[in-house]
């Protein structure tokens, strides 16, 4: 897929070392999520962003504009603001109650490299789009 970088070993490690948080939910890749509210125990939760498409740095103003566009796309779903953090660096993201198939469509539309799939009492998964 154009504009999306295939995952390198270093990128894969960075994703796996990152901490993903939104609302009361906190997780890392291949770990069990914490803080999922009871009402969301049977839901599929997806963490996605519109920041830095294709893994390429973009200006802050551009990233903010794209996050607003993504927020317009998800307004019919329940969602929470969040962030993905690695050391002192973080990027905003949304945790959305949405099916995996719909989330993949959105992630591709916003040219993201990956999304995080979260389910109650299951290991959090990283899904690459390339």
């Amino acid at each position: 897929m154009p504009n999306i970088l295939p995952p390198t070993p270093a990128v894969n490690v960075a994703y796996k070392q990152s901490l993903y948080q939104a609302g009361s939910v906190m997780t890392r890749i291949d770990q069990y999520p914490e803080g999922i509210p009871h009402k969301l125990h049977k839901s599929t939760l997806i963490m996605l962003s519109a920041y830095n498409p294709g893994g390429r740095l973009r200006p802050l103003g551009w990233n903010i504009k794209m996050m607003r566009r993504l927020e317009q796309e998800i307004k019919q779903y329940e969602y929470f603001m969040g962030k993905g953090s690695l050391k002192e660096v973080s990027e905003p993201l949304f945790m959305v109650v949405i099916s995996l198939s719909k989330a993949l469509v959105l992630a591709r539309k916003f040219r993201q490299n990956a999304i995080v799939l979260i389910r109650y009492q299951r290991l959090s998964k990283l899904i690459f789009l390339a």
Side-chain angles (χ1 to χ4, degrees), residues 50-51 53 61-71 94 109-111:
Y51 251 61
W62 191 93
N63 282 324
I64 291 170
K65 178 176 77 172
M66 295 310 289
M67 286 296 285
R68 286 185 187 135
R69 287 186 183 169
L70 175 56
E71 189 170 21
F94 295 105
K109 181 175 182 175
F110 287 90
R111 299 188 319 264

Side-chain angles (χ1 to χ4, degrees), residues 69-87:
R69 287 186 183 169
L70 175 56
E71 189 170 21
Q72 289 300 307
E73 295 274 348
I74 63 172
K75 67 183 178 184
Q76 72 266 26
Y77 303 101
E78 184 173 5
Y79 70 92
F80 305 84
M81 287 295 305
K83 65 181 177 178
S85 304
L86 179 61
K87 299 179 184 172

Side-chain angles (χ1 to χ4, degrees), residues 7-19:
T8 64
V11 167
N12 196 26
V13 167
Y15 275 116
K16 287 186 176 188
Q17 290 178 344
S18 294
L19 176 65

